[in-house]
């Protein structure tokens, strides 16, 4: 009887331990400094700060120093076409092209140390860690597929977006202030796309995935900028007439102001 | 001072754009041309996409040509009948031009077309003007009287049917070549973002033999109408006209044009043509060099809008 009880207790204990093992007792708590970035006439880029901490329940057994973080910020998805120039008849013309469908218009991937030091290549791939592992769907003819990271169009796409500050990857951008408190800055360039941005934060420890969380912010045009951009798209005729009226008024005013005869 | 352009989607230095508008306005006032062939390349050079540049410059040219047209109207230097016939061709040409612009933009060949057209057109016109200007200068240096235009001579143009009397220009001329020229200028202007005055004026003088007194004023009316229409069509079909950019350009342009016009009156006609020819040719050569030399970056990206 006593033996039976002991076995049952041990079995139950193992069961609980097994059940609890994958869901380790770490949680991520994050906050971004500004949830609404506004584009005003004098907007010329901005920087957001992402703060967060790793909360551990009681006796979590990973030593604090073993945490790694990967932060992925992705802007509103959009379609793009990448074209390659080739020489034809002595001049350089756009020849070949690829369409990228529903890819992030802004992408920033930050970590606290190089990805290879954080985890295995397999896990990097499955967790989409790094610009090489982000899915960039291409349309090739009638097929939709992502291609290998070394594809020239894919590489050119990432390189050009990076040159404009729209794609970036930095494996030293996340800093741990204390073993569990971290911060990183999210730089937004002047040509920032408008829309909703997702921030995905992955916590890893000793090469294994531990926890993840996400937050978001939005970039909006407000006031005059929004009014002009909306009018140009949605009330194109009215917008065009306004521009024409503006041109004619300016021209007429000039002829009155500078009249000499 | 940085200002964010809502359609071009990038911040620019307001004073830089204003200065560019004034500089181009100065040149346009000096030579009596719209200056689009200078403005569009300059905007592309500061990073504004060719589509936005072409579309926004149309409104800038509309503003400056109205200023010009009004002052010629006061001096009765506009032939309304001639302007009207030119316009009927110009309106159709502009619509065709904007349609081609839209098509090329979707095919990804717009930038190339703009560049090739600039090379072909500017090199030819610039070269011809330069040649003619040098000839006239040498002629004048030898102390000979300037060649007179044979106003009475009749070319094949004058044998065409559908003749019409243009009172103020004192001409009796077929409407076919007039409509054709209007069509061509409207078309070229809409595709390239130029008013086309530097093409139209020589064509009116040498092909139609319009008297110089009514040429420039009438050309300004055509430019005003085609560019007004181009602005409207670009706004409706391509949504690429940037109101903020256009306003800065207009203000700079009309101001600069006044000073340019005053400077232009102090220079002799032949020298003025020589200078303009040189300017046009150099812009053409600059585009040619860019086409022939291997670009540093072979790839370009363009947003094509979210597919539903």
């Amino acid at each position: 009887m006593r033996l039976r009880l002991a076995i049952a207790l041990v079995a139950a204990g193992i069961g609980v331990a097994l059940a609890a093992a994958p869901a380790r007792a770490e949680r991520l708590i994050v906050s971004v400094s500004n949830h609404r970035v506004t584009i005003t006439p004098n907007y010329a880029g901005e920087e957001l700060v992402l703060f967060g901490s790793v909360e551990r329940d009681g006796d979590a057994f990973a030593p604090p120093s073993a945490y790694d973080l990967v932060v992925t910020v992705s802007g509103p998805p959009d379609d793009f076409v990448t074209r390659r120039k080739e020489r034809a008849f002595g001049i350089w013309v756009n020849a070949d092209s690829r369409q990228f469908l529903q890819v992030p218009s802004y992408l920033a991937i930050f970590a606290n140390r190089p990805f290879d030091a954080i985890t295995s290549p397999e896990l990097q791939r499955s967790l989409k860690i790094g610009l090489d592992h982000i899915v960039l769907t291409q349309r090739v003819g009638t097929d939709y597929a992502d291609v290998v990271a070394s594809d020239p169009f894919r590489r050119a796409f990432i390189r050009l977006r990076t040159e404009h500050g729209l794609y970036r990857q930095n494996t030293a951008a996340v800093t741990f202030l204390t073993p569990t408190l971290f911060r990183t800055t999210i730089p937004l360039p002047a040509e920032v796309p408008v829309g909703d941005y997702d921030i995905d934060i992955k916590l890893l420890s000793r090469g294994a995935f531990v926890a993840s969380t996400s937050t978001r912010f939005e970039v909006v045009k407000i006031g005059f900028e929004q009014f002009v951009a909306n009018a140009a798209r949605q009330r194109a005729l009215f917008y065009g007439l306004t521009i024409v009226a503006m041109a004619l008024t300016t021209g007429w005013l000039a002829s009155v102001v500078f009249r000499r005869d | 001072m940085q200002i964010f352009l809502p359609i071009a989607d990038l911040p620019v230095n307001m004073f830089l754009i204003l200065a560019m508008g004034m500089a181009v306005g100065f040149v346009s006032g000096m030579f009596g041309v719209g200056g689009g062939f200078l403005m569009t390349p300059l905007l592309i050079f500061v990073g504004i996409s060719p589509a936005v540049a072409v579309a926004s410059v149309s409104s800038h040219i509309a503003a400056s040509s109205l200023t010009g047209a009004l002052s010629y109207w006061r001096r009765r230097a506009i032939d309304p009948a001639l302007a009207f016939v030119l316009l009927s061709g110009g309106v159709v040409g502009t619509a065709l031009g904007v349609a081609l612009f839209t098509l090329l933009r979707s095919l990804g060949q717009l930038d190339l077309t703009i560049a090739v057209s600039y090379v072909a057109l500017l090199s030819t016109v610039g070269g011809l003007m330069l040649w003619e200007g040098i000839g006239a200068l040498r002629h004048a240096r030898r102390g000979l009287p300037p060649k007179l235009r044979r106003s009475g001579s009749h070319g094949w143009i004058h044998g065409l049917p559908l003749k019409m009397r243009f009172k103020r220009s004192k001409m009796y001329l077929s409407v076919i070549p007039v409509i054709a020229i209007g069509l061509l200028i409207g078309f070229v202007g809409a595709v390239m973002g130029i008013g086309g005055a530097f093409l139209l004026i020589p064509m009116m003088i040498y092909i139609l033999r319009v008297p110089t007194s009514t040429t420039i004023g009438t050309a300004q009316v055509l430019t005003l109408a085609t560019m007004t229409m181009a602005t409207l069509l670009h706004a409706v079909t391509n949504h690429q006209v940037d109101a903020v950019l256009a306003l800065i350009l207009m203000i700079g342009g009309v101001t600069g044009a006044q000073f340019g016009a005053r400077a232009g009156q102090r220079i002799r006609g032949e020298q003025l043509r020589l200078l303009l020819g040189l300017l046009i040719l150099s812009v053409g050569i600059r585009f040619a060099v860019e086409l022939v030399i291997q670009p540093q970056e072979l790839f370009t990206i363009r947003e094509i809008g979210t597919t539903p």
Side-chain angles (χ1 to χ4, degrees):
Chain A
M1 180 69 192
R2 192 170 274 187
L3 187 68
R4 264 193 181 172
L5 188 67
I7 290 170
L9 277 176
V10 167
I14 289 170
V16 167
L18 280 175
R24 275 169 48 181
E26 275 101 346
R27 282 189 303 137
L28 280 166
I29 294 170
V30 295
S31 178
V32 64
S33 59
N34 186 359
H35 286 281
R36 190 177 150 92
V37 178
T38 52
I39 295 184
T40 51
N42 50 11
Y43 173 85
E46 197 169 319
E47 232 171 43
L48 296 184
V49 181
L50 178 82
F51 267 105
S53 87
V54 185
E55 296 283 307
R56 289 182 297 155
D57 289 345
D59 55 339
F61 41 77
S65 59
Y67 288 134
D68 287 310
L69 268 172
V70 180
V71 177
T72 307
V73 186
S74 39
D78 206 346
D79 295 351
F80 297 91
V81 58
T82 303
R83 297 196 168 91
R84 180 163 58 189
K85 283 195 171 69
E86 272 165 31
R87 202 182 194 114
F89 310 110
I91 57 169
W92 290 87
V93 299
N94 283 335
D96 215 355
S97 73
R98 292 275 187 286
Q99 282 187 18
F100 288 85
L101 302 176
Q102 296 297 296
V103 298
S105 50
Y106 173 92
L107 188 63
I109 303 173
F110 297 139
N112 59 320
R113 57 183 177 137
F115 301 133
D116 286 338
I118 293 178
T119 187
S120 63
E122 291 73 34
L123 208 56
Q124 283 180 39
R125 197 154 36 235
S126 68
L127 291 176
K128 301 186 181 65
I129 292 175
L131 284 178
D132 284 348
H133 302 299
I134 287 289
V135 177
L136 298 175
T137 312
Q138 281 188 29
R139 175 153 71 194
V140 187
T142 53
D143 282 348
Y144 295 81
D146 191 15
V147 290
V148 289
S150 59
D151 173 66
F153 280 93
R154 187 192 153 104
R155 273 176 39 208
F157 182 77
I158 291 178
R159 184 178 69 241
L160 285 168
R161 297 298 283 177
T162 306
E163 276 170 16
H164 284 90
L166 291 163
Y167 275 28
R168 55 181 80 223
Q169 170 168 305
N170 187 343
T171 53
V174 178
T175 42
F176 275 96
L177 305 171
T178 73
T180 58
L181 190 66
F182 59 88
R183 97 189 263 281
T184 186
T185 53
I186 303 167
L188 298 175
E191 299 172 50
V192 69
V194 176
D196 290 327
Y197 285 65
D198 285 313
I199 309 178
D200 175 62
I201 303 112
K202 292 190 183 77
L203 181 70
L204 295 99
S205 179
R206 297 160 190 264
F209 176 71
V210 177
S212 77
T213 186
S214 66
T215 182
R216 56 200 296 132
F217 65 92
E218 57 174 349
V219 176
V220 287
K221 283 182 185 172
I222 57 157
F224 183 67
E225 269 59 40
Q226 183 199 31
F227 174 73
V228 172
N230 283 349
R233 292 237 156 252
Q234 289 153 19
R235 277 178 289 167
L237 183 65
F238 169 76
Y239 179 79
L241 287 172
T242 311
I243 302 259
V244 167
M246 192 168 87
L248 298 184
T249 313
T250 314
W252 175 75
L253 271 180
S255 84
V256 170
V257 170
F258 296 104
R259 187 168 177 172
R260 277 168 290 158
D261 43 3
Chain B
M1 195 183 98
Q2 293 281 313
I3 184 162
F4 192 87
L5 300 178
I7 306 295
D9 262 338
L10 85 171
V12 291
N13 189 328
M14 196 174 96
F15 295 113
L16 176 73
I17 302 288
L18 195 66
M20 275 165 41
M22 286 184 83
V24 172
F26 185 85
V27 173
S28 78
M30 190 159 157
F31 299 118
V33 294
F37 72 94
L38 286 172
M39 197 72 247
T40 308
L42 275 177
L43 290 180
I44 295 173
F45 186 70
V46 296
I48 291 164
S49 77
V52 175
V54 166
S56 306
V57 163
S58 315
S59 66
H60 155 75
I61 303 172
S64 58
S65 56
L66 178 67
T67 313
L70 284 174
S71 85
Y72 284 104
W73 181 255
R74 283 192 213 108
R75 281 184 257 155
R76 301 178 61 80
I78 291 175
D79 186 331
L82 185 62
F84 184 78
V85 178
L86 274 172
L87 256 177
S88 58
V91 167
V92 180
T94 306
L96 290 176
V98 173
L100 180 72
F101 182 94
T102 313
L103 176 74
L104 289 170
R105 206 164 102 83
S106 67
L107 292 179
Q109 300 299 351
L110 178 67
D111 300 9
L112 174 75
T113 311
I114 292 179
V116 171
S117 326
Y118 267 101
V119 172
L121 213 57
L122 298 185
S123 313
T124 315
V125 175
L128 282 174
M129 287 180 85
L130 201 62
W131 180 252
E132 199 248 11
I134 290 171
L137 271 188
R138 284 175 63 191
H139 206 78
R141 191 155 298 165
R142 285 201 218 114
L144 299 170
K147 278 184 200 160
L148 288 173
R149 263 191 335 107
R150 294 157 296 159
S151 55
S153 69
H154 287 242
W156 61 272
I157 291 278
H158 295 76
L160 290 170
L162 288 174
K163 286 202 172 187
M164 185 178 159
R165 202 168 291 282
F166 297 101
K167 265 190 203 146
R168 200 166 283 176
S169 305
K170 297 186 183 71
M171 287 191 315
Y172 185 59
L173 185 67
S174 163
V175 294
I176 295 171
V178 183
I179 291 180
I181 287 176
L183 194 104
L184 179 75
I185 299 294
F187 180 76
V188 167
V191 175
M192 292 171 63
I194 57 175
F198 73 95
L199 274 176
L200 179 60
I201 294 173
M203 279 180 165
M204 285 171 77
I205 292 178
Y206 296 112
I207 300 177
L208 301 181
R209 300 198 180 280
V210 179
T212 332
S213 58
T214 53
T215 300
I216 297 179
T218 310
Q220 295 265 23
V221 174
L222 180 70
T223 310
L224 168 65
T226 52
M227 286 295 111
T228 303
M229 193 177 149
T231 305
L232 205 56
L233 288 176
H234 277 306
V236 173
T237 54
N238 294 304
H239 311 292
Q240 296 291 320
V241 184
D242 195 305
V244 177
L245 177 64
L247 183 64
I248 302 173
L249 289 180
M250 283 172 204
I251 294 173
V254 293
T255 319
Q258 303 300 325
F259 297 103
R262 269 166 231 191
Q265 285 162 356
R266 299 212 193 95
I267 306 176
R268 278 175 40 215
E270 305 91 75
Q271 289 169 337
L272 209 59
R273 281 208 294 279
L274 192 74
L275 278 178
L276 180 60
L278 208 60
L279 191 68
I280 292 175
L281 188 64
S282 49
V283 175
I285 289 173
R286 192 196 158 277
F287 270 90
V289 167
E290 207 157 85
L291 275 180
V292 174
I293 289 180
Q294 173 165 8
Q296 286 192 329
E297 178 60 66
L298 289 179
F299 290 91
T300 49
I301 300 184
R302 196 168 75 78
E303 215 172 298
I304 49 177
T306 304
T307 47

